[in-house]
Amino acid sequence: MPAEQHAYRPERNALTAVREVHSLLNTGHTRVVEADLSGYFDSLPHAELMTSVARRVVDRQMLHLIKMWLEAPVEETDARGRKRRTTQNRDSQRGVPQGSPISPLLANLYMRRFILGWKRLGFEVRYQARIVSYADDFVICCKGSAEAAMAVMRRMMERLKLTVNEEKTRTCGIPQEHFDFLGYTFGRCYSTKTGRAYIGTRPSKKRVQRLTVAISAASTRRTTWIEAEAMVEQLNRMLRGWAQYFCLGPVDKAYRAVHTHTTQRLRRWLGIKHKVRRAGFKRYPAAYLHQTLGLVELPKLTPSFPWAKA
């Protein structure tokens, strides 16, 4: 697989893709194509996909098995609990079943066509444009014209029978503008020590909002039957998992926002559970939440960020 692909590969993941984009931006590739494909897994053409597989697999029985698997009916359950079988993939000759162990491999294999074509046709050199992809999410970081690179990308995707999501595909210039990729916002940041501007990353507002919504959903009136320690354990799993991924760049501002929201929701939840009116800081101080119940103090997990040099 090309080095540009970071999804579903050993020693590669979303964070290595984020680091790669950051490195490119700081080596002059500041004109960016932020691309998005519509329904990538559902629109992979079977004939072209099987051609890619056949170049690597010579066993006819194995190829036949993969073909049958691509066309296998899918059982779905509707809102009323009724089950029905669909043959959409077989009828349209497109798409791979999501959730299967082999689907990510086939998705990477087909995306490889685009990446290798980009190189072999000379666009990487012509526009000094490097691709970084994670499954169907990718950006093209250029030193040359991002507009020209985007036009070429559209033509190549059309030949690959894939659909570009025009609403989410655009070009931008760093550091004047910013863009989101894999949950991170790339653009101008400022050092908290010196105030100096630099090109860096931070957790995107959408991802911060998504976590706070999930925390609110977990701490509603309907969950007050849960023991306080179990609720805190559930919140801690959410916070630690989120912090484990959002650990690059200056994350302290996002961490503080999430921490404030979490403590407010937990105090409110405890007040409802114990039928205490106006439960707040005095009733449930920080020491009780963190030392007695064991709630994670997210700001204390803030890692150092080497990209923001003093």
Side-chain angles (χ1 to χ4, degrees):
M1 288 288 181
E4 291 83 354
Q5 293 183 272
H6 292 259
Y8 320 120
R9 300 181 62 191
E11 300 181 1
R12 289 182 179 272
N13 52 42
L15 292 182
T16 63
V18 171
R19 291 189 182 99
E20 179 66 17
V21 172
H22 177 266
S23 176
L24 289 170
L25 294 176
N26 281 276
T27 53
H29 298 76
T30 54
R31 298 177 180 87
V32 179
V33 178
E34 183 186 1
D36 185 80
L37 299 177
S38 299
Y40 178 68
F41 283 84
D42 293 330
S43 59
L44 291 177
H46 289 178
E48 289 78 0
L49 177 59
M50 288 304 301
T51 298
S52 296
V53 175
R55 289 172 180 160
R56 297 159 180 84
V57 178
V58 296
D59 189 311
R60 291 184 179 181
Q61 292 182 340
M62 179 59 69
L63 291 173
H64 180 65
L65 182 62
I66 294 174
K67 179 66 172 177
M68 290 178 60
W69 172 81
L70 288 175
E71 297 180 347
V74 177
E75 188 175 89
E76 298 177 341
T77 304
D78 61 18
R80 296 183 179 181
R82 296 176 300 185
K83 295 183 178 181
R84 63 188 183 93
R85 299 180 73 189
T86 62
T87 57
Q88 181 178 350
N89 289 359
R90 185 182 64 190
D91 298 340
S92 64
Q93 288 296 295
R94 285 177 173 272
V96 296
Q98 295 192 44
S100 170
I102 197 174
S103 293
L105 174 63
L106 296 179
N108 267 359
L109 192 61
Y110 199 69
M111 181 61 74
R112 186 174 187 268
R113 279 191 165 200
F114 167 63
I115 294 173
L116 292 183
W118 185 265
K119 291 180 176 181
R120 291 173 180 173
L121 295 173
F123 299 124
E124 181 176 88
V125 175
R126 184 181 305 175
Y127 303 118
Q128 298 185 68
R130 297 277 300 279
I131 298 170
V132 180
S133 77
Y134 186 87
D136 57 329
D137 293 325
F138 68 95
V139 294
I140 307 175
C141 301
C142 316
K143 288 185 177 180
S145 172
E147 289 74 15
M150 184 168 65
V152 170
M153 181 272 296
R154 283 197 179 102
R155 292 197 297 269
M156 292 184 67
M157 289 302 175
E158 185 176 357
R159 293 187 62 183
L160 291 169
K161 298 182 179 181
L162 299 174
T163 304
V164 175
N165 187 332
E166 298 297 343
E167 293 183 359
K168 296 183 179 180
T169 298
R170 67 184 184 99
T171 63
C172 67
I174 303 297
Q176 296 81 6
E177 301 175 275
H178 66 271
F179 68 95
D180 290 351
F181 181 58
L182 299 179
Y184 280 87
T185 296
F186 294 78
R188 182 184 284 119
C189 298
Y190 296 92
S191 170
T192 56
K193 294 183 179 179
T194 66
R196 183 179 63 87
Y198 66 97
I199 297 175
T201 70
R202 58 187 181 275
S204 70
K205 292 181 180 179
K206 289 182 179 180
R207 287 302 185 94
V208 173
Q209 185 179 16
R210 184 185 299 180
L211 177 61
T212 57
V213 169
I215 290 171
S216 296
S219 56
T220 63
R221 290 176 178 270
R222 296 179 180 180
T223 61
T224 52
W225 59 272
I226 301 175
E227 293 296 329
E229 291 77 7
M231 170 57 67
V232 169
E233 184 179 352
Q234 180 180 350
L235 295 176
N236 283 346
R237 285 197 298 269
M238 298 168 65
L239 295 173
R240 289 194 181 101
W242 192 84
Q244 186 176 6
Y245 180 76
F246 290 102
C247 59
L248 303 179
V251 297
D252 51 339
K253 184 177 179 180
Y255 279 24
R256 287 196 301 269
V258 172
H259 174 74
T260 299
H261 179 80
T262 304
T263 53
Q264 289 175 348
R265 289 295 304 184
L266 183 56
R267 288 190 177 105
R268 179 178 179 275
W269 183 86
L270 288 169
I272 296 173
K273 178 178 179 63
H274 299 295
K275 299 180 181 180
V276 177
R277 291 186 177 182
R278 299 180 182 179
F281 183 84
K282 292 183 178 180
R283 179 70 180 182
Y284 301 110
Y288 177 75
L289 298 182
H290 302 300
Q291 297 175 18
T292 303
L293 295 181
L295 181 67
V296 168
E297 294 187 69
L298 200 56
K300 292 187 177 181
L301 297 180
T302 304
S304 59
F305 42 96
W307 299 346
K309 297 180 180 179

